[in-house]
Amino acid sequence: MAKFQGVDYYSIDGLLSEEELLARNTIREFVDESILPIIEKHNRAGTFPLDLVPKMAGLGMFGATLPPKYGCAGMNNVAYGLVMQELERGDSAIRSFASVQSALVMYPIFTFGSDKQKDMWLPKLATGEKIGCFGLTEPDFGSNPGGMITRAVETPDGYVLNGAKMWITNGTIADVAVVWAKLNGVVTGFLVEKGTRGFSAPEMRGKHSLRASVTSELIFEDVHIPKESRLPGGTGLKLPLSCLSQARYGIAWGAVGAAMACYDAALNYARTRIQFDKPIASFQLTQMRLVHMVTEITKAQLLCLQLGRLKDAGKARFQQVSLAKRNNVYHALEIAREARGILGANGILDEYPVMRHAANLESVITYEGTHEMHTLIVGEDITGIPAYA
Ligand SMILES: Cc1cc2nc3c(=O)[nH]c(=O)nc-3n(C[C@H](O)[C@H](O)[C@H](O)COP(=O)(O)OP(=O)(O)OC[C@H]3O[C@@H](n4cnc5c(N)ncnc54)[C@H](O)[C@@H]3O)c2cc1C
């Protein structure tokens, strides 16, 4: 297959700094050399390529925007976004791993953790020596996490946790879980280590989407944890929601990567596939589909870039992140389906990346806030009227 040349219809590369381009190009190469050759095998087997973790860490992608003091790369948000874009061009499962480790585990420890928790966990999470997961969703509480049942009760020497989480990325392979539970009725964050008595994390099987990602239940049965394992920097649902906002930012970029992979595959195929004695790219209907794809990719790229610039200036609002996640994932999924159509029967084969991306994006449009929840977030922002219940 021809080497990926990027999709840059509006010369957006010209708006990027040298550091940002370097970060993007480094991960682009990593994806070509280390992810694309192995991803179909893992997707088929339903396994995550754990052996890639040290290499990913070496490229600075875990906690990439956090300070070098903890062994992190200290990138700006645009460079981090470009890293997520390239990773998801490889596969949403690989980007999900990096998103969870960075935005849902390292970010809350950095933002709400004690100095001791930061010193203990951040350097090891940055090197990939330790893996983390984020437990918010429960079997009966997804879009409405505030209703969670998982409870923490204070004891003289710490806390006892009871409850269950579901759909937790990296759960089974995680050394530490950032767990959200109600303490005296208030959502509070705890760090629960693998191997703690009463804590188990069985893997969920049977997924048709994000197959190369580990997804797990977290079960807490009278789990005793010490006082120091609580995140001391605040309480309330706004804490986990602020972590999700970090992760959604990365997803907005990541979706562009998945869309670019599908567009690239469709364009190359359309140029070479002959029907009625002509390449199918010569038919007006095919051109219309390709033009729609490149238009939506270009719009999504510009959305991400401006969102990243706002974030670097400390001005990005969570509602703006919602708009970008909502738009970019929706259009990436639409592009994946269109690309599948252009490839005809070949579109369903794993010789091409399209069907894998389409299936993955079905998860991406649901997790980190469903498409509908982001609609309601932006709807409330522009009207001033909440419409959730
Ligand atoms: C592969 C995968 C990995 C995941 N990883 C994690 C993780 O690491 N950590 C974690 O905590 N969670 C994780 N999740 C869970 C994910 O965040 C939830 O699935 C998501 O929040 C939606 O919850 P739900 O599936 O329970 O759907 P529900 O909340 O039951 O929603 C079902 C449908 O109803 C709609 N709906 C709900 N409420 C409203 C409303 N008020 N108005 C209109 N429509 C509404 C939704 O939009 C959706 O279409 C993951 C999920 C998947 C699929």
Side-chain angles (χ1 to χ4, degrees), residues 134 136-137 142-143 167-169 210 366-368 370 372 376 388:
F134 176 91
L136 178 66
T137 305
S143 299
W167 297 109
I168 308 306
T169 303
L210 276 190
T366 285
Y367 73 16
E368 303 278 348
T370 65
E372 294 74 28
L376 297 178
Y388 304 92

Side-chain angles (χ1 to χ4, degrees), residues 346-361:
N346 278 323
I348 70 162
L349 286 180
D350 65 6
E351 192 183 329
Y352 298 90
V354 172
M355 193 75 186
R356 178 169 49 79
H357 281 298
N360 284 342
L361 288 163

Side-chain angles (χ1 to χ4, degrees), residues 127-146:
T127 58
E129 189 186 334
K130 298 285 181 193
I131 293 171
C133 71
F134 176 91
L136 178 66
T137 305
E138 299 189 352
D140 294 327
F141 294 93
S143 299
N144 176 25

Side-chain angles (χ1 to χ4, degrees), residues 298-361:
T298 304
K299 284 152 73 176
Q301 286 170 327
L302 290 166
L303 207 53
C304 279
L305 182 60
Q306 173 62 359
L307 184 64
R309 296 283 180 239
L310 286 174
K311 198 162 163 58
D312 279 327
K315 290 181 182 165
R317 298 186 304 116
F318 72 86
Q319 297 92 337
Q320 292 170 321
V321 176
S322 282
L323 187 147
K325 192 265 184 187
R326 177 182 183 278
N327 179 78
N328 294 7
V329 178
Y330 178 87
H331 285 291
L333 187 52
E334 191 191 31
I335 286 167
R337 288 172 182 154
E338 281 292 322
R340 216 291 303 148
I342 289 177
L343 266 67
N346 278 323
I348 70 162
L349 286 180
D350 65 6
E351 192 183 329
Y352 298 90
V354 172
M355 193 75 186
R356 178 169 49 79
H357 281 298
N360 284 342
L361 288 163

Side-chain angles (χ1 to χ4, degrees), residues 11-150:
S11 305
I12 296 169
D13 277 8
L15 301 174
L16 302 175
S17 71
E18 269 179 39
E19 291 79 22
E20 289 159 357
L21 284 171
L22 181 66
R24 199 268 317 270
N25 293 343
T26 304
I27 307 304
R28 184 166 286 178
E29 218 172 286
F30 165 72
V31 167
D32 285 343
E33 285 171 9
S34 300
I35 296 183
L36 294 184
I38 54 119
I39 193 61
E40 293 296 354
K41 183 185 77 183
H42 282 282
N43 193 63
R44 233 176 284 154
T47 52
F48 175 77
L50 256 182
D51 52 317
L52 284 184
V53 171
K55 209 165 174 187
M56 292 167 76
L59 293 170
M61 60 180 86
F62 300 147
T65 57
L66 300 184
K69 179 181 167 192
Y70 296 110
C72 302
M75 283 180 203
N76 71 11
N77 283 289
V78 170
Y80 170 69
L82 289 162
V83 168
M84 295 294 125
Q85 171 192 289
E86 290 306 313
L87 280 183
E88 194 144 359
R89 184 176 65 82
D91 193 87
S92 305
I94 312 294
R95 198 270 308 139
S96 295
F97 182 95
S99 280
V100 168
Q101 183 88 345
S102 303
L104 297 181
V105 178
M106 296 176 76
Y107 171 82
I109 294 175
F110 176 73
T111 312
F112 310 119
S114 64
D115 285 341
K116 198 172 157 204
Q117 288 167 339
K118 290 184 215 183
D119 291 340
M120 176 172 170
W121 289 109
L122 293 179
K124 288 181 180 156
L125 289 161
T127 58
E129 189 186 334
K130 298 285 181 193
I131 293 171
C133 71
F134 176 91
L136 178 66
T137 305
E138 299 189 352
D140 294 327
F141 294 93
S143 299
N144 176 25
M148 69 175 66
I149 293 169
T150 303

